[in-house]
Amino acid sequence: DALGNTTAAIGKGFAVGSAMLTALALLQSFMEATHISNVDFIKDYAMIPSLLIGGMLPYLFSAMTMLAVGQSAQDIIREVRRQFREIPGLLEGTASADYTRCVDIATKAALRDMMMPGALAIMSPVVVGLLLGPKAIVGLLSGAIVSVSLLALTMGNAGGAWDNAKKFVEGFPETQEHLDVKLGGKGTRLHAATVAGDTVGDPFKDTAGPSLDILVKLMSIVSLVLAEPIKNSSYWHGLIALGVLVLLVFVIRRLVSMMDNSDSDDMVLIDDDSGMGEGPASLKDERALNALTTTV
């Protein structure tokens, strides 16, 4: 598994390079389609704001996907605890667990939690392009390409390193011959620290990192497809697109709320001694969506 993580990190580096070259080619095609021969980051008023927005989007996208992973895992933990508590003989191994329920939770969470990141990737170039003009798209994609190239490589390598660190500590002998102390192995503080790192490292290397390649390519493709409308747009078109984005965020929030309410009868409260508190499983998702709505 450790060798696989290392090999995967190398492969993800090639994937990032491929995504960056694809995005650069699509950016060049967009500039040709909109007849932009050069840009001036100082004189063009839209360049600096769009550049900053493009550099920020990958971090927001990554945060949303990683929060979705953590929340989905907590939902499954709740379901597993419920089955242990309510299915007689499950702990003793004499009864079978309801695996379908866990698969259903993971599938619903995947569909539910990717609606907002997907809308963000599709609508951001539309809103920026219609609101600030085609040159703003050049700044948006340039900022996203630079930010993704660094962030995706960091996530792929750091996540694999944290995962391998846990495996390395688990392979430690209980005591070292030249030291009369316990440095590694399961059950030690060092192992607990590496487990915490691996908890962040897995969504780093398996979720947020690879999805950034898709984000930058999707933004570039949407920009190229809408090159003609963006080139002939006006300020009012941008305001309409911004209103559509706000409405889309509201609709997605309602859909998420409806999906959560449909599962509310099956939700259970977490035990008080679990350290995770009580409340609906979608609480953190709701706070994240509220924060995103406020930002918009």
Side-chain angles (χ1 to χ4, degrees), residues 126-133 233-245:
V126 177
V127 173
V128 172
L130 294 178
L131 195 62
L132 301 177
S233 65
S234 65
Y235 182 77
W236 293 105
H237 295 142
L239 291 179
I240 294 174
L242 182 60
V244 171
L245 177 60

Side-chain angles (χ1 to χ4, degrees), residues 30-257:
F30 173 82
M31 294 179 66
E32 292 180 359
T34 53
H35 306 293
I36 298 176
S37 57
N38 58 75
V39 292
D40 191 331
F41 283 88
I42 303 301
K43 294 182 180 179
D44 295 331
Y45 68 93
M47 291 304 298
I48 296 299
S50 60
L51 190 68
L52 294 175
I53 293 173
M56 174 272 298
L57 284 177
Y59 292 90
L60 177 60
F61 186 86
S62 300
M64 295 171 71
T65 54
M66 292 181 67
L67 284 173
V69 170
Q71 190 58 57
S72 302
Q74 290 186 18
D75 291 345
I76 293 178
I77 289 173
R78 290 185 179 92
E79 174 61 22
V80 171
R81 287 176 174 171
R82 183 193 67 81
Q83 293 190 23
F84 276 134
R85 185 167 53 247
E86 297 180 3
I87 299 179
L90 186 58
L91 278 174
E92 293 77 11
T94 58
S96 178
D98 184 7
Y99 305 105
T100 305
R101 177 58 183 160
C102 291
V103 175
D104 182 64
I105 291 174
T107 305
K108 286 185 178 180
L111 296 173
R112 177 192 66 202
D113 295 331
M114 283 309 297
M115 287 192 292
M116 192 68 75
L120 176 70
I122 295 174
M123 290 300 297
S124 55
V126 177
V127 173
V128 172
L130 294 178
L131 195 62
L132 301 177
K135 288 189 176 181
I137 291 291
V138 178
L140 179 76
L141 295 180
S142 300
I145 289 172
V146 174
S147 185
V148 165
S149 63
L150 300 176
L151 187 59
L153 286 173
T154 300
M155 286 184 166
N157 286 280
W162 287 334
D163 194 359
N164 285 356
K166 184 191 72 169
K167 294 177 175 58
F168 181 71
V169 171
E170 289 176 349
F172 276 1
E174 289 297 321
T175 57
Q176 280 65 33
E177 296 180 358
H178 60 288
L179 294 175
D180 190 22
V181 293
K182 188 177 182 180
L183 294 180
K186 293 184 178 180
T188 62
R189 295 177 60 186
L190 182 59
H191 180 254
T194 57
V195 169
D198 184 42
T199 304
V200 182
D202 280 339
F204 248 52
K205 65 183 179 66
D206 296 328
T207 302
S211 66
L212 290 177
D213 302 338
I214 304 172
L215 169 68
V216 70
K217 288 188 285 188
L218 181 59
M219 291 173 59
S220 302
I221 291 174
V222 171
S223 301
L224 181 59
V225 170
L226 299 178
E228 195 66 26
I230 290 175
K231 182 178 66 174
N232 301 320
S233 65
S234 65
Y235 182 77
W236 293 105
H237 295 142
L239 291 179
I240 294 174
L242 182 60
V244 171
L245 177 60
V246 174
L247 179 62
L248 186 62
V249 170
F250 175 77
V251 171
I252 291 177
R253 287 190 60 196
R254 293 294 299 172
L255 288 174
V256 171
S257 177

